[in-house]
Every structure is written in C-alpha cells, then in structure tokens.
Amino acid sequence: MRSVSKSLLAVLVCGFANVIAIAQCPNRPAPGSVVHDPFSISSTNGVLSAELTMKHSVDELGYNHYCYNYKTGKDTVEAPTLRLNRGDQLELDIKDRIEDDDAAAMGLMDQMSSPPGKPCGDTGTPTVASTNVHYHGLNVPPKCHGDEVVKTLIQPGSPGFHYKIQIPADEPPGLYWYHPHIHGFTEFQVNGGAAGALIVEGMDKINPEVSGLKERVFVIRQQFLVPWIPGPYELTLNYQLANYPNYPSPVIQMKPGEKQFWRVANATNQDFLPLQVLFNGTPQKLKLIALDGYPLAKSRDEETILLPPASRAEFIVQAPTDSSIVANFQTENYPTGPTGNPDLQQVLGSIVISNDDDAAPATKPARPSPSVSLASIKFAGLDKQKPTTQRKLYFSEEFGGINGPIQFYITVDGQKQKVFEPNEKPVITTQVGAVEDWTIQNRALETHAFHIHQIHFMVLEVDGKPVKNQDLRDTIEIPFWEGPGHPYHSVKLRMDFRDPTIAGTFVFHCHILLHEDLGMMHKILVKPQ
Ligand SMILES: [Cu+2]
C-alpha cells in the first residue's frame, strides 16, 4: 500500500492538474509496434566507455519519465544495454540535466538529509532531481566511483560524475541492470524510465544450449501517474505500452518454430511478475537458463517464472510453428496481500510469426567472450561452505489509521524497529571471509522483496523447508502474512562475504521502491580482513 501525507497529496494533485508537456526524453514507440531490443553498446579492447545524461519528460497525459539519454552519433536513445566481458572496465560518465521538474521546482518533496561523512561526487541536499547509479547484481566494490549509493550524489547542472568499475574476472555471465538509487527518490526516477540492462557476456560458454540462438533483451518497466499515490499503472516492454487497459500489444516477431534466448529484466517499481508464454491460452514450457544474472546449475523447464521487482530471468522460448496459434508473452495476476497493491495480469507482447529479421540495433557485436565454467565463477560451491554466523531479520509495517501502513521496516531480530537514515550506523557488522545464513521473515500483510547489494545469496529454505533448487539470487520475494493463526513466511539465505573486494558499507532493502524510499533499508558493514 502506498501512503502519502495529506499536504503532500494536495500539492501533488494540484501540481499535476495542469500538465505542461516537457520533452527531454526520446519519443517512446507507438503502441502496437514491433518491439526492438534496446540499443546496445559493447566494450572494445576491454573497456566500455559511455556518457549517459539523465533527463526528464512529462508527457501529455501527465506521466513523468526520467531517462538515461545516450547519443549514438545518429540520434539519441535511452537506457542502452551495456555489454561487457568479464575483466572489462566500465567507464561511465553520468550527467544530471533534469530541468523544469515540476516536483523539484515546487519544493514539494521532503528533502532528505545530506549524505554522511566525506561526500562522493557533488555536495548539497538530495532532491528528486539528484541522481546516482546502482549496478544491480554486480559483485563489485561499494566504493566511491564504484557501486556506492549512500554517499554518491550527482546534482542537476553539475559537471557530472565518473564511474569506473572493473567487472570481476570471475563474475557470473548474465543479465544485470542499472538504475538510480538516491534514498527517498529512487521510485520517481525508475518509474517508467531510468533503468537499463547490463550484460556480462559468456552465458553460451557455460550453457551451450543458448549458443547460436537469437537473443532478445526485454526490460519491463512500470509507470504510475504519480508515484506514491495508489492507482492504476501501466507496464511497458522496452518502453512500449503493454496491453493495459486498451492498447494493442507490443509485437514480438519470431520465425516459425524458432528458438530464441530471452533475457528479461523486471525493472518495475513494485510489480511481482509471474511470466508465462501462452499458445492458445496454454502455458508453454520455458527453458530457464539463469536467474538474477547467475547461470543455473542445470537448466530446467518452467511454465511460470516469478520475477520479484528487480529480478531477471534468462530463458529459451520456442515460437509457434504457424500463425494460426495465438501466442502471448504475459504476466499473471499475483496476490501481494491485504495491504499490498494488486499486481494484475497483462499481456506484455503478442508473439507474431514473421520472417523479417528484426536485428537489434547496436554499435558492434561484442568480441567473443573467454571460456568459463560454472565451477570457476563467484559463489561456486557455496552450498558446501559452513556458515560462520546465523542471523534473523524480519519485514514489518506499522499502521497509522485507515490509509494503510505508514512505516516500513526491515529489522535485525532483537534490534529496535527503525527506518533507514543515511547517517545511521550499520545494523550488521561482519568481516571478509564470513559465510552467514540469514532467515528473513515477513511479518507484514504485504509481500516484500529482499535485495542486498554487492553479493548474490543462495536460497536454502522457504518456510523452513529445504528448496529443490538452491539458486543463486540477488532479489527474492517473501510472501505476506495471512494474519493471526498463520505462520510468517520466511526464506533462509546463505550470504557469502568471502570476497575481499566487496569490503565496506552497503545496503540491503525491500525492492518495492516506495518501501525502500520510505526507509525499509539498512546498512551492513563488511570489515576488511
Ligand atoms: Cu517492501
């Protein structure tokens, strides 16, 4: 449930009553058109160097969109896919050129306190027009100019900020993504806009089943008219409106009987996506290859792949053999509990048989990735490690009346419930070398999605029972509490802090972005050895 103060609500409603379209973001594809992959940029000679400019648009219906604009030399595209090999260097310059921002100009956002300690990047107070970047899923240092989100601040109009991130040589090949992560305002910028895919090459080396298959990159985004206010939302597939409520579906072209390798990111604010491909209403088998950018130990057939917000799935889809079959890529209904928002069934795309070659636009193909085996990537053999510590954490919500929850907490069992403050001390301190088992309960009447930066974790148990597939994840759903008389749902996760390069302070939080913005987040300190 979304909550918002009455005064804020009043200003928001008035503020958006008279919409003046502002267009700083590229035009979005027309409903019902053929879906193209995002423009992609590949590393050359071990370096991917690019400049992205954060901008802002308000469309004629009043939807706010933030965008990572990239100049291709021909035109401007948004949120390119960044493609790197393991060991490559990502050199990303981010400029914040958000202008004419209704929300910021009217001063209606609660301003957050300045980041603590020595600043990283610009100084001043974070607002909805400030930005930074989180590289979701990458197992890289939480350092300034790396994947650091608590102190890193990029202010509108400033010269910009340089990220320099080396993809570890043993990084799992797979689909990652990047998005802004300014505490208090993340949801606004991700809302239908600022989020892009990042691919670490080499999946075909681990799993030859995908070799030679045409690859598709699909980024699913969600847009609310005004984030923080409950109401209808729209899903988009690579920025094209999905079939809700009255739009023609995006068209996904496939050749008859063709197998394709789909790499799908849930870049929504808060939508849990049970993904299916249906032929004449019957769910088809999808060959699941990887989850959250981590190749599965063994590929497996699934009819429904549940992606919590921020999660990714990579799977093989086979097209129907003839055009008389109605084929759809869709998300199912997903119940999120009495205080959760409804996550509704929607067709994300119609699969249309076509012999057109719908090649993805790109600078150039990535050079071949070096060979790699499952046994040599990060977190391999984690199931055999002995945990050094056990911890218990829980999600909870506090009510303030009939309008639903007003406080969102994630708490280490035994500590006081509190919302995140940028200058808080870490609630967990551990050290490099630790392997910990965390049991995370959901005591709220709403499903939450646990995410931790810098590492993947292994799923050991769900509701106290060992799981069949001990997948490595970076985001996982924990279903809502059904109420008195029912047990809390829980997951048991193995957290791997052995890698010395991830030493430092970073965060874990709910990936329902409103919850994160309202403080369902805390810091962990991993001390160097
Ligand atoms: Cu949550």
Side-chain angles (χ1 to χ4, degrees):
M1 186 71 78
R2 338 188 106 222
S3 63
V4 64
S5 75
K6 271 191 189 142
S7 58
L8 181 59
L9 185 68
V11 188
L12 282 169
V13 170
C14 298
F16 288 93
N18 299 311
V19 170
I20 303 161
I22 302 164
Q24 298 186 334
C25 298
N27 289 333
R28 302 271 163 94
S33 50
V34 173
V35 183
H36 298 286
D37 281 19
F39 187 90
S40 81
I41 323 169
S42 296
S43 58
T44 38
N45 300 323
V47 179
L48 192 163
S49 194
E51 181 180 298
L52 302 180
T53 305
M54 175 69 93
K55 293 206 169 194
H56 167 244
S57 287
V58 182
D59 70 16
E60 58 284 356
L61 295 174
Y63 282 89
N64 276 263
H65 300 294
Y66 293 82
C67 47
Y68 285 116
N69 282 1
Y70 174 74
K71 289 193 177 124
T72 66
K74 221 170 61 190
D75 53 6
T76 298
V77 297
E78 63 184 306
T81 299
L82 309 176
R83 307 186 75 114
L84 300 106
N85 281 321
R86 300 174 321 130
D88 283 355
Q89 193 86 20
L90 174 60
E91 304 260 357
L92 207 54
D93 283 296
I94 303 288
K95 286 191 163 57
D96 183 339
R97 295 292 177 268
I98 298 169
E99 295 167 17
D100 299 316
D101 189 285
D102 282 357
M106 293 173 66
L108 56 82
M109 295 302 146
D110 295 327
Q111 295 206 331
M112 309 303 285
S113 52
S114 297
K118 195 164 158 258
C120 170
D122 295 326
T123 52
T125 310
T127 71
V128 69
S130 311
T131 198
N132 64 12
V133 183
H134 171 46
Y135 302 85
H136 187 116
L138 282 186
N139 309 114
V140 295
K143 300 266 163 66
C144 188
H145 301 283
D147 182 31
E148 199 288 328
V149 297
V150 180
K151 295 178 175 183
T152 306
L153 188 60
I154 310 170
Q155 296 284 35
S158 84
F161 188 81
H162 185 69
Y163 284 98
K164 186 171 183 165
I165 291 175
Q166 185 170 21
I167 308 298
D170 56 354
E171 187 69 9
L175 176 61
Y176 300 78
W177 66 297
Y178 58 94
H179 66 84
H181 206 299
I182 292 285
H183 176 58
F185 307 108
T186 300
E187 188 187 32
F188 269 81
Q189 292 185 0
V190 173
N191 184 51
L198 187 154
I199 289 175
V200 177
E201 306 280 8
M203 188 65 79
D204 56 328
K205 301 292 191 306
I206 286 198
N207 194 327
E209 288 173 277
V210 304
S211 289
L213 298 188
K214 179 171 175 173
E215 189 180 306
R216 299 300 317 262
V217 176
F218 293 127
V219 180
I220 301 166
R221 299 176 180 84
Q222 179 180 34
Q223 53 196 35
F224 288 88
L225 192 56
V226 182
W228 293 11
I229 297 184
Y233 60 84
E234 294 172 329
L235 294 181
T236 62
L237 187 69
N238 292 355
Y239 292 117
Q240 189 182 147
L241 285 165
N243 190 24
Y244 179 82
N246 297 313
Y247 303 106
S249 298
V251 171
I252 300 171
Q253 289 182 329
M254 295 180 86
K255 294 187 169 66
E258 181 192 14
K259 280 186 183 172
Q260 292 188 351
F261 179 40
W262 287 14
R263 318 185 88 168
V264 180
N266 181 347
T268 67
N269 305 355
Q270 61 161 57
D271 214 21
F272 293 81
L273 300 171
L275 297 175
Q276 294 183 335
V277 170
L278 296 108
F279 290 178
N280 292 336
T282 304
Q284 301 298 297
K285 286 199 172 92
L286 306 168
K287 180 145 291 230
L288 187 59
I289 302 292
L291 284 169
D292 292 352
Y294 201 98
L296 300 188
K298 193 170 181 297
S299 62
R300 59 178 187 258
D301 288 335
E302 304 271 6
E303 286 182 356
T304 305
I305 301 170
L306 174 63
L307 290 189
S311 206
R312 288 87 63 214
E314 299 171 67
F315 51 92
I316 297 171
V317 177
Q318 185 160 22
T321 46
D322 74 82
S323 54
S324 67
I325 295 169
V326 177
N328 282 324
F329 175 39
Q330 73 173 41
T331 178
E332 282 295 287
N333 286 312
Y334 185 78
T336 61
T339 64
N341 285 289
D343 290 350
L344 304 173
Q345 183 192 64
Q346 290 186 42
V347 173
L348 298 165
S350 306
I351 298 170
V352 173
I353 295 300
S354 163
N355 280 307
D356 289 357
D357 194 18
D358 178 31
T363 45
K364 63 165 80 167
R367 70 188 159 89
S369 61
S371 67
V372 53
S373 72
L374 199 57
S376 69
I377 59 175
K378 278 185 192 294
F379 315 113
L382 187 53
D383 54 327
K384 298 191 182 65
Q385 292 297 314
K386 245 192 134 90
T388 50
T389 306
Q390 307 270 346
R391 297 184 201 273
K392 284 195 174 128
L393 292 87
Y394 64 93
F395 285 109
S396 60
E397 296 177 355
E398 194 169 76
F399 287 81
I402 52 164
N403 290 325
I406 52 161
Q407 297 289 13
F408 297 86
Y409 303 109
I410 182 164
T411 308
V412 176
D413 204 11
Q415 296 184 5
K416 194 172 172 302
Q417 289 184 346
K418 57 184 180 185
V419 293
F420 176 83
E421 294 285 344
N423 58 4
E424 72 174 25
K425 290 201 172 68
V427 299
I428 293 174
T429 299
T430 187
Q431 59 184 34
V432 168
V435 174
E436 307 193 350
D437 285 356
W438 291 15
T439 301
I440 305 170
Q441 270 182 348
N442 188 353
R443 301 183 187 173
L445 296 164
E446 172 172 20
T447 300
H448 293 287
F450 175 83
H451 168 55
I452 186 164
H453 290 209
Q454 266 60 49
I455 62 165
H456 281 71
F457 48 78
M458 177 175 270
V459 182
L460 300 178
E461 293 178 7
V462 171
D463 294 339
K465 295 187 196 73
V467 295
K468 198 167 117 211
N469 301 301
Q470 293 186 323
D471 298 325
L472 271 293
R473 305 292 302 266
D474 57 43
T475 310
I476 190 161
E477 69 287 351
I478 309 172
F480 62 92
W481 180 44
E482 285 101 338
H486 296 272
Y488 297 128
H489 291 288
S490 67
V491 292
K492 188 175 182 180
L493 311 174
R494 180 154 296 168
M495 321 296 279
D496 186 349
F497 303 109
R498 287 176 297 168
D499 177 359
T501 70
I502 57 102
T505 299
F506 51 94
V507 291
F508 56 88
H509 58 85
C510 177
H511 222 290
I512 290 178
L513 294 178
L514 178 75
H515 298 175
E516 171 195 329
D517 282 337
L518 293 176
M520 202 174 227
M521 172 157 80
H522 281 305
K523 290 180 193 167
I524 175 172
L525 165 63
V526 181
K527 288 181 167 167
Q529 249 169 350

